[in-house]
Amino acid sequence: MDLTVVILVEMLYAVASLILISAGLAVVFGMMKVINLAHGEFMMMGGYATITAVNLGVNIFVAMLIIAPLVVGLIGLVVERLVIRHLYGRLVDTMLATWGLSLFFIGLATMIFGNTTTGISTPIPGFAIGNYQINGYNFFIIVVAILLLIGMLSILKATRAGLIARGAMQRSDMAAALGYSPDRIYMATFFCGSALSGLAGAVLAPLVGLVPTSGGAYIAKAFITVIAGGPSLIAGLFSSAGFFGVVNQIFTFAISPVIGEVALLVAAVVLLRLLPQGITGKFFKGKL
């Protein structure tokens, strides 16, 4: 029974991690159709913003949940104004530009923070379940992921701003005809997507040692999760993260963590071969 509880918690943690890692990209790529290869670097900057704020004496939860998303969101706002807004509708150009941005951010972080590993301690201690030790911080990540999904769903479905953003992403000309500025909507949406990426990097920072190249560990999983989820933003994010998280943890517990990562990638290839339009292209049609 103890082992069952531990496995269940680890599965929920794996799913929650994928949701956090992919949420920002789901907004930028899933909604805006911007191939953001700098997504991992936005997460990396969120981690560094958290560590810097904590070292300056800021409460760790304030640093993770408020400061890091705002800092990275503002950086994303500058990037959108200077680069991305000139490339909407040009997928290849956007991909090349964001790849260049990722290299720029890695170099900048290396100049500022150095190339050594840094980090912070988890603010929630672990505890024992029977003969097994479990990380208490995992529960915090699970709660944050749940609240994030609920918040995204509520904003996109039940608020005027969310409805306007969704409409502008689908028909910017119609939004302009109704008196809304597509330029400002795209700017605000990219800010939100960047802030979500910063939040993910901040929340995951206490679990990993941070270096300027840390973003490379997240980008593949984020794209796999968003693409496999299909056209529906929230339903796709939840379903694909749930599927891949469970597959990863089953093979991790059965064999090893390395095989778990390999199983995740194999599952993604098989899923996209069977469902080229993603999970919500076949199931959950019409869902947000």
Side-chain angles (χ1 to χ4, degrees):
M1 181 61 70
D2 295 338
L3 180 60
T4 302
V5 173
V6 171
I7 293 175
L8 179 61
V9 171
E10 290 299 320
M11 284 185 176
L12 290 174
Y13 162 71
V15 173
S17 296
L18 286 176
I19 290 173
L20 286 174
I21 290 169
S22 308
L25 190 66
V27 173
V28 173
F29 178 51
M31 282 184 64
M32 302 179 68
K33 309 304 178 188
V34 173
I35 302 177
N36 183 18
L37 294 183
H39 172 71
E41 281 60 51
F42 280 96
M43 290 184 60
M44 174 268 292
M45 289 187 289
Y48 274 118
T50 300
I51 293 172
T52 302
V54 170
N55 289 338
L56 292 174
V58 179
N59 178 272
I60 186 171
F61 292 106
V62 174
M64 286 191 298
L65 302 177
I66 298 177
I67 293 177
L70 283 177
V71 169
V72 180
L74 291 174
I75 294 173
L77 191 65
V78 173
V79 168
E80 197 276 341
R81 290 290 86 189
L82 295 179
V83 180
I84 303 298
R85 73 187 182 100
H86 303 290
L87 302 175
Y88 289 126
R90 298 157 57 185
L91 293 180
V92 175
D93 293 343
T94 305
M95 182 174 63
L96 292 173
T98 54
W99 177 63
L101 283 170
S102 73
L103 297 178
F104 170 75
F105 287 134
I106 290 172
L108 185 63
T110 303
M111 289 175 58
I112 297 173
F113 300 104
N115 204 27
T116 57
T117 302
T118 184
I120 50 177
S121 302
T122 56
I124 302 175
F127 57 91
I129 297 181
N131 295 323
Y132 301 95
Q133 189 73 18
I134 194 166
N135 189 349
Y137 191 71
N138 290 359
F139 290 96
F140 175 72
I141 291 178
I142 293 169
V143 171
V144 171
I146 293 172
L147 294 177
L148 178 62
L149 279 181
I150 294 174
M152 291 175 66
L153 181 62
S154 300
I155 291 172
L156 291 173
K157 191 172 183 178
T159 67
R160 184 180 181 86
L163 294 174
I164 292 171
R166 289 165 56 197
M169 297 305 119
Q170 297 175 24
R171 289 290 303 273
S172 59
D173 55 341
M174 187 63 70
L178 293 173
Y180 299 105
S181 171
D183 186 60
R184 292 183 179 179
I185 295 171
Y186 272 79
M187 178 180 66
T189 305
F190 197 88
F191 169 84
C192 293
S194 301
L196 289 176
S197 301
L199 173 66
V203 171
L204 295 175
L207 295 177
V208 296
L210 201 64
V211 292
T213 56
S214 295
Y218 302 117
I219 188 69
K221 288 183 179 181
F223 270 101
I224 286 171
T225 304
V226 173
I227 293 172
S232 298
L233 183 64
I234 307 300
L237 181 62
F238 177 73
S239 57
S240 61
F243 175 70
F244 292 137
V246 170
V247 168
N248 176 271
Q249 287 303 307
I250 287 175
F251 282 89
T252 294
F253 276 99
I255 306 176
S256 72
V258 174
I259 299 300
E261 295 295 320
V262 173
L264 187 153
L265 296 176
V266 172
V269 172
V270 173
L271 179 63
L272 291 174
R273 177 65 181 87
L274 298 176
L275 302 173
Q277 299 300 317
I279 296 174
T280 55
K282 179 71 173 179
F283 309 101
F284 310 112
K285 288 186 176 181
K287 300 293 183 181
L288 178 61

